[in-house]
Protein backbone atom coordinates (compact mmCIF):
# COMPACT_ATOMS: atom_id res chain seq x y z
CA UNK A 1 0.00 0.00 0.00
CA UNK A 2 2.79 2.43 0.88
CA UNK A 3 4.59 1.83 -2.42
CA UNK A 4 1.46 2.13 -4.54
CA UNK A 5 -0.08 5.10 -2.72
CA UNK A 6 3.13 6.90 -1.76
CA UNK A 7 3.76 8.84 -4.98
CA UNK A 8 4.33 12.59 -4.92
CA UNK A 9 3.11 15.08 -7.51
CA UNK A 10 5.17 18.20 -8.08
CA UNK A 11 6.41 19.94 -11.21
CA UNK A 12 9.72 18.10 -11.02
CA UNK A 13 8.51 14.81 -9.50
CA UNK A 14 5.31 13.66 -11.12
CA UNK A 15 4.07 10.31 -9.78
CA UNK A 16 7.47 9.43 -8.29
CA UNK A 17 7.83 7.22 -5.26
CA UNK A 18 10.14 8.63 -2.62
CA UNK A 19 11.08 6.43 0.30
CA UNK A 20 9.87 7.86 3.58
CA UNK A 21 7.58 10.58 2.18
CA UNK A 22 4.30 8.78 2.76
CA UNK A 23 5.39 7.59 6.21
CA UNK A 24 6.17 11.20 7.12
CA UNK A 25 2.76 12.35 5.90
CA UNK A 26 0.84 9.93 8.16
CA UNK A 27 3.16 10.21 11.17
CA UNK A 28 0.63 11.91 13.45
CA UNK A 29 -2.53 10.30 12.12
CA UNK A 30 -5.06 9.29 14.77
CA UNK A 31 -8.17 8.75 12.64
CA UNK A 32 -8.92 7.43 9.15
CA UNK A 33 -12.14 8.89 7.72
CA UNK A 34 -14.13 7.59 4.74
CA UNK A 35 -16.98 9.77 3.41
CA UNK A 36 -20.08 7.95 2.25
CA UNK A 37 -22.76 9.75 0.28
CA UNK A 38 -24.48 6.92 -1.61
CA UNK A 39 -26.74 4.02 -0.68
CA UNK A 40 -25.38 1.93 -3.55
CA UNK A 41 -22.28 0.82 -1.64
CA UNK A 42 -21.02 0.27 1.87
CA UNK A 43 -18.03 -1.14 3.74
CA UNK A 44 -19.00 -4.73 2.89
CA UNK A 45 -20.37 -4.41 -0.62
CA UNK A 46 -17.49 -2.52 -2.25
CA UNK A 47 -13.97 -3.96 -2.24
CA UNK A 48 -12.29 -0.56 -2.63
CA UNK A 49 -13.35 0.38 0.90
CA UNK A 50 -11.31 -2.29 2.68
CA UNK A 51 -8.53 -1.94 0.10
CA UNK A 52 -7.99 1.80 0.52
CA UNK A 53 -9.49 2.62 3.91
CA UNK A 54 -8.22 -0.65 5.34
CA UNK A 55 -4.87 -0.16 3.65
CA UNK A 56 -4.51 3.29 5.20
CA UNK A 57 -5.47 1.80 8.56
CA UNK A 58 -2.62 -0.74 8.37
CA UNK A 59 -0.21 1.89 7.07
CA UNK A 60 -0.84 4.10 10.08
CA UNK A 61 -0.36 1.11 12.38
CA UNK A 62 2.89 0.23 10.63
CA UNK A 63 4.22 3.79 10.92
CA UNK A 64 2.94 4.85 14.35
CA UNK A 65 2.71 1.50 16.10
CA UNK A 66 -0.98 1.87 16.96
CA UNK A 67 -4.26 1.36 15.15
CA UNK A 68 -6.09 4.58 14.28
CA UNK A 69 -9.79 5.12 14.77
CA UNK A 70 -11.68 4.20 11.60
CA UNK A 71 -14.92 6.07 10.96
CA UNK A 72 -17.38 6.81 8.17
CA UNK A 73 -18.77 10.27 7.53
CA UNK A 74 -22.32 9.24 6.66
CA UNK A 75 -23.50 12.00 4.32
CA UNK A 76 -26.30 10.07 2.64
CA UNK A 77 -28.83 12.43 4.21
CA UNK A 78 -27.30 15.93 3.95
CA UNK A 79 -29.75 17.20 6.56
CA UNK A 80 -28.75 14.54 9.09
CA UNK A 81 -25.07 13.87 8.57
CA UNK A 82 -23.47 11.65 11.20
CA UNK A 83 -20.32 9.76 12.05
CA UNK A 84 -20.32 5.95 12.28
CA UNK A 85 -17.48 3.80 13.49
CA UNK A 86 -16.45 1.08 11.07
CA UNK A 87 -18.03 -1.78 13.02
CA UNK A 88 -21.40 -0.03 13.21
CA UNK A 89 -21.35 0.88 9.52
CA UNK A 90 -20.55 -2.72 8.53
CA UNK A 91 -23.24 -4.28 10.68
CA UNK A 92 -25.90 -1.77 9.61
CA UNK A 93 -25.17 -2.70 6.01
CA UNK A 94 -25.13 -6.42 6.81
CA UNK A 95 -28.47 -6.35 8.63
CA UNK A 96 -30.15 -4.32 5.90
CA UNK A 97 -28.76 -6.32 2.97
CA UNK A 98 -27.04 -9.71 2.95
CA UNK A 99 -28.59 -10.86 6.26
CA UNK A 100 -32.02 -9.46 5.39
CA UNK A 101 -34.39 -12.09 3.88
CA UNK A 102 -36.40 -9.43 2.00
CA UNK A 103 -33.23 -8.13 0.37
CA UNK A 104 -32.05 -11.65 -0.45
CA UNK A 105 -35.37 -12.59 -1.99
CA UNK A 106 -35.35 -9.58 -4.31
CA UNK A 107 -31.67 -9.99 -5.18
CA UNK A 108 -32.27 -13.59 -6.21
CA UNK A 109 -34.29 -12.24 -9.13
CA UNK A 110 -30.99 -11.02 -10.61
CA UNK A 111 -29.72 -14.57 -11.07
CA UNK A 112 -26.01 -15.28 -11.48
CA UNK A 113 -24.98 -11.69 -10.81
CA UNK A 114 -26.73 -11.73 -7.45
CA UNK A 115 -24.98 -14.97 -6.50
CA UNK A 116 -21.61 -13.38 -7.31
CA UNK A 117 -22.61 -10.32 -5.27
CA UNK A 118 -23.07 -12.53 -2.20
CA UNK A 119 -19.63 -14.02 -2.87
CA UNK A 120 -18.16 -10.54 -3.20
CA UNK A 121 -19.56 -9.48 0.17
CA UNK A 122 -17.98 -12.59 1.72
CA UNK A 123 -14.59 -11.80 0.14
CA UNK A 124 -14.80 -8.20 1.30
CA UNK A 125 -15.62 -9.37 4.81
CA UNK A 126 -12.47 -11.50 4.77
CA UNK A 127 -10.56 -8.46 3.52
CA UNK A 128 -11.71 -6.49 6.54
CA UNK A 129 -10.62 -9.32 8.84
CA UNK A 130 -7.12 -8.97 7.44
CA UNK A 131 -7.11 -5.18 7.59
CA UNK A 132 -9.00 -4.67 10.86
CA UNK A 133 -9.54 -7.98 12.69
CA UNK A 134 -11.65 -6.59 15.54
CA UNK A 135 -14.15 -4.93 13.19
CA UNK A 136 -16.29 -8.04 12.51
CA UNK A 137 -17.36 -10.28 15.37
CA UNK A 138 -17.71 -14.05 15.13
CA UNK A 139 -21.50 -13.77 15.30
CA UNK A 140 -21.44 -11.93 11.97
CA UNK A 141 -19.80 -14.91 10.27
CA UNK A 142 -22.20 -17.32 11.97
CA UNK A 143 -25.19 -15.26 10.81
CA UNK A 144 -23.76 -15.06 7.30
CA UNK A 145 -23.32 -18.83 7.15
CA UNK A 146 -26.77 -19.54 8.61
CA UNK A 147 -28.43 -17.10 6.21
CA UNK A 148 -26.64 -17.70 2.90
CA UNK A 149 -25.22 -21.22 3.19
CA UNK A 150 -27.79 -22.91 5.44
CA UNK A 151 -30.75 -20.85 4.12
CA UNK A 152 -32.35 -20.39 7.54
CA UNK A 153 -35.13 -18.27 6.00
CA UNK A 154 -36.08 -21.07 3.55
CA UNK A 155 -35.67 -18.95 0.44
CA UNK A 156 -34.44 -21.81 -1.74
CA UNK A 157 -30.87 -20.53 -1.80
CA UNK A 158 -29.29 -23.95 -2.33
CA UNK A 159 -31.25 -24.52 -5.53
CA UNK A 160 -30.66 -20.90 -6.51
CA UNK A 161 -26.87 -21.26 -6.33
CA UNK A 162 -26.93 -24.68 -8.01
CA UNK A 163 -28.98 -23.37 -10.93
CA UNK A 164 -27.62 -19.88 -11.36
CA UNK A 165 -24.03 -19.81 -10.14
CA UNK A 166 -22.66 -22.80 -8.18
CA UNK A 167 -19.15 -21.30 -8.33
CA UNK A 168 -20.30 -18.41 -6.16
CA UNK A 169 -21.22 -20.88 -3.40
CA UNK A 170 -17.84 -22.57 -3.80
CA UNK A 171 -16.24 -19.16 -3.30
CA UNK A 172 -18.41 -18.31 -0.28
CA UNK A 173 -17.65 -21.56 1.54
CA UNK A 174 -13.95 -21.40 0.64
CA UNK A 175 -13.62 -17.83 1.92
CA UNK A 176 -15.40 -18.75 5.15
CA UNK A 177 -13.09 -21.71 5.67
CA UNK A 178 -10.03 -19.57 4.96
CA UNK A 179 -11.27 -17.05 7.52
CA UNK A 180 -11.44 -19.89 10.03
CA UNK A 181 -8.07 -21.29 8.99
CA UNK A 182 -6.39 -17.93 9.50
CA UNK A 183 -7.88 -17.66 12.98
CA UNK A 184 -10.12 -14.66 12.31
CA UNK A 185 -13.29 -16.65 12.99
CA UNK A 186 -13.28 -19.03 15.96
CA UNK A 187 -15.81 -21.49 14.57
CA UNK A 188 -16.69 -24.82 16.14
CA UNK A 189 -15.90 -28.18 14.55
CA UNK A 190 -19.48 -28.71 13.37
CA UNK A 191 -19.40 -25.44 11.43
CA UNK A 192 -16.08 -26.35 9.81
CA UNK A 193 -17.33 -29.78 8.71
CA UNK A 194 -20.60 -28.37 7.35
CA UNK A 195 -18.78 -25.77 5.27
CA UNK A 196 -16.26 -28.32 3.97
CA UNK A 197 -19.07 -30.75 3.09
CA UNK A 198 -21.06 -28.10 1.21
CA UNK A 199 -17.93 -26.93 -0.58
CA UNK A 200 -16.88 -30.42 -1.67
CA UNK A 201 -20.41 -31.33 -2.78
CA UNK A 202 -20.46 -28.34 -5.13
CA UNK A 203 -16.98 -29.16 -6.45
CA UNK A 204 -17.99 -32.75 -7.27
CA UNK A 205 -21.31 -31.76 -8.79
CA UNK A 206 -20.25 -28.77 -10.86
CA UNK A 207 -16.42 -29.04 -11.08
CA UNK A 208 -14.23 -26.36 -9.48
CA UNK A 209 -14.70 -22.71 -10.34
CA UNK A 210 -11.05 -22.00 -9.78
CA UNK A 211 -10.53 -18.71 -7.98
CA UNK A 212 -7.57 -18.07 -5.75
CA UNK A 213 -9.50 -19.39 -2.77
CA UNK A 214 -10.96 -22.46 -4.44
CA UNK A 215 -7.98 -23.87 -6.34
CA UNK A 216 -4.83 -21.85 -5.64
CA UNK A 217 -4.55 -22.24 -1.87
CA UNK A 218 -2.93 -25.60 -1.06
CA UNK A 219 -3.15 -25.08 2.71
CA UNK A 220 -6.87 -24.40 2.50
CA UNK A 221 -7.33 -27.39 0.19
CA UNK A 222 -5.60 -29.65 2.75
CA UNK A 223 -7.81 -28.28 5.52
CA UNK A 224 -10.99 -28.91 3.53
CA UNK A 225 -9.87 -32.42 2.61
CA UNK A 226 -9.10 -33.25 6.25
CA UNK A 227 -12.57 -32.07 7.34
CA UNK A 228 -14.40 -34.48 5.01
CA UNK A 229 -15.52 -37.56 6.92
CA UNK A 230 -16.38 -39.54 3.79
CA UNK A 231 -13.04 -40.86 2.52
CA UNK A 232 -14.48 -41.53 -0.92
CA UNK A 233 -15.64 -37.90 -1.18
CA UNK A 234 -12.25 -36.80 0.08
CA UNK A 235 -10.46 -38.71 -2.70
CA UNK A 236 -12.82 -37.38 -5.37
CA UNK A 237 -12.43 -33.82 -4.10
CA UNK A 238 -8.64 -34.07 -4.14
CA UNK A 239 -8.75 -35.57 -7.63
CA UNK A 240 -11.02 -32.83 -8.99
CA UNK A 241 -8.76 -30.05 -7.76
CA UNK A 242 -5.65 -31.88 -9.00
CA UNK A 243 -7.21 -32.45 -12.43
CA UNK A 244 -7.96 -28.76 -12.90
CA UNK A 245 -4.59 -27.68 -11.56
CA UNK A 246 -2.69 -30.07 -13.83
CA UNK A 247 -4.73 -29.68 -16.99
CA UNK A 248 -3.37 -27.66 -19.91
CA UNK A 249 -5.22 -25.42 -22.35
CA UNK A 250 -8.07 -26.96 -24.33
CA UNK A 251 -6.25 -26.32 -27.60
CA UNK A 252 -2.53 -26.33 -28.24
CA UNK A 253 -2.90 -24.32 -31.43
CA UNK A 254 -1.14 -20.97 -31.06
CA UNK A 255 -3.36 -17.92 -30.94
CA UNK A 256 -1.94 -15.43 -33.43
CA UNK A 257 -4.42 -12.60 -32.99
CA UNK A 258 -4.30 -11.76 -36.71
CA UNK A 259 -7.69 -10.08 -36.74
CA UNK A 260 -6.53 -7.50 -34.21
CA UNK A 261 -3.41 -6.91 -36.29
CA UNK A 262 -5.48 -6.36 -39.43
CA UNK A 263 -7.69 -3.86 -37.67
CA UNK A 264 -4.66 -2.03 -36.35
CA UNK A 265 -3.10 -1.96 -39.84
CA UNK A 266 -6.26 -0.48 -41.31
CA UNK A 267 -6.39 2.15 -38.58
CA UNK A 268 -2.74 3.06 -39.18
CA UNK A 269 -3.34 3.43 -42.94
CA UNK A 270 -6.38 5.61 -42.28
CA UNK A 271 -4.42 7.81 -39.87
CA UNK A 272 -1.58 8.16 -42.41
CA UNK A 273 -4.03 9.08 -45.18
CA UNK A 274 -5.63 11.76 -43.02
CA UNK A 275 -2.26 13.22 -42.02
CA UNK A 276 -1.00 13.33 -45.62
CA UNK A 277 -4.12 15.09 -46.85
CA UNK A 278 -4.81 17.28 -43.85
CA UNK A 279 -3.82 20.52 -45.62
CA UNK A 280 -6.03 19.74 -48.59
CA UNK A 281 -8.95 18.87 -46.32
CA UNK A 282 -8.58 22.10 -44.38
CA UNK A 283 -8.40 24.11 -47.64
CA UNK A 284 -11.55 22.45 -48.97
CA UNK A 285 -13.31 23.17 -45.71
CA UNK A 286 -12.37 26.86 -45.87
CA UNK A 287 -13.58 27.15 -49.46
CA UNK A 288 -16.92 25.55 -48.54
CA UNK A 289 -17.24 27.90 -45.55
CA UNK A 290 -16.56 30.95 -47.77
CA UNK A 291 -19.14 29.81 -50.33
CA UNK A 292 -21.78 29.35 -47.62
CA UNK A 293 -20.92 32.75 -46.12
CA UNK A 294 -21.18 34.41 -49.56
CA UNK A 295 -24.60 32.87 -50.18
CA UNK A 296 -25.88 34.01 -46.77
CA UNK A 297 -24.56 37.56 -47.28
CA UNK A 298 -26.03 37.71 -50.81
CA UNK A 299 -29.45 36.58 -49.58
CA UNK A 300 -29.38 39.16 -46.83
CA UNK A 301 -28.58 41.97 -49.24
CA UNK A 302 -31.41 40.95 -51.55
CA UNK A 303 -33.82 40.85 -48.63
CA UNK A 304 -32.70 44.29 -47.45
CA UNK A 305 -33.15 45.67 -50.97
Amino acid sequence: YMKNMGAIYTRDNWCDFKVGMFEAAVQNTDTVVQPRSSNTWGPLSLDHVYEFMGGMNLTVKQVTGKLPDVVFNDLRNPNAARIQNAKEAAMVEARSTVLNPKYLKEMMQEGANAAEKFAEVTRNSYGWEVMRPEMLEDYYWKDLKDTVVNDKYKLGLKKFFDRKNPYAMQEITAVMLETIRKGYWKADDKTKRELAQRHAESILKHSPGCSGFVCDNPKLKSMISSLLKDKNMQKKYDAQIAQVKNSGPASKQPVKGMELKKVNDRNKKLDKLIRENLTALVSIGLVIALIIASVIIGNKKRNDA
Side-chain angles (χ1 to χ4, degrees), residues 43-84:
L44 299 178
S45 56
L46 182 63
D47 56 357
H48 297 327
V49 188
Y50 85 78
E51 291 169 350
F52 290 94
M53 189 182 190
M56 178 64 80
N57 161 78
L58 282 186
T59 298
V60 173
K61 180 184 177 183
Q62 176 73 17
V63 172
T64 68
K66 63 178 183 178
L67 280 171
D69 293 329
V70 177
V71 299
F72 285 82
N73 273 353
D74 188 351
L75 308 173
R76 288 174 292 174
N77 182 350
N79 298 316
R82 58 175 179 161
I83 293 178
Q84 286 181 304

Side-chain angles (χ1 to χ4, degrees), residues 85-152:
N85 65 50
K87 180 180 291 188
E88 178 189 1
M91 289 312 301
V92 167
E93 184 184 24
R95 295 297 179 196
S96 59
T97 58
V98 73
L99 301 178
N100 180 351
K102 292 183 179 180
Y103 173 86
L104 291 171
K105 186 175 181 179
E106 294 303 318
M107 278 294 290
M108 288 167 67
Q109 305 303 315
E110 296 294 326
N113 288 338
E116 172 54 28
K117 185 66 176 177
F118 301 148
E120 182 180 2
V121 169
T122 311
R123 284 193 301 269
N124 295 344
S125 300
Y126 171 79
W128 274 117
E129 289 285 13
V130 175
M131 299 294 186
R132 188 94 181 181
E134 76 280 7
M135 179 173 150
L136 298 175
E137 302 287 352
D138 283 355
Y139 65 77
Y140 164 76
W141 286 103
K142 183 180 184 304
D143 287 349
L144 188 63
K145 171 186 174 290
D146 290 344
T147 302
V148 178
V149 180
N150 293 357
D151 192 18
K152 72 175 182 179

Side-chain angles (χ1 to χ4, degrees), residues 295 297-305:
V295 171
I297 293 171
N299 289 336
K300 185 178 179 182
K301 288 182 177 179
R302 284 195 294 273
N303 291 335
D304 290 343

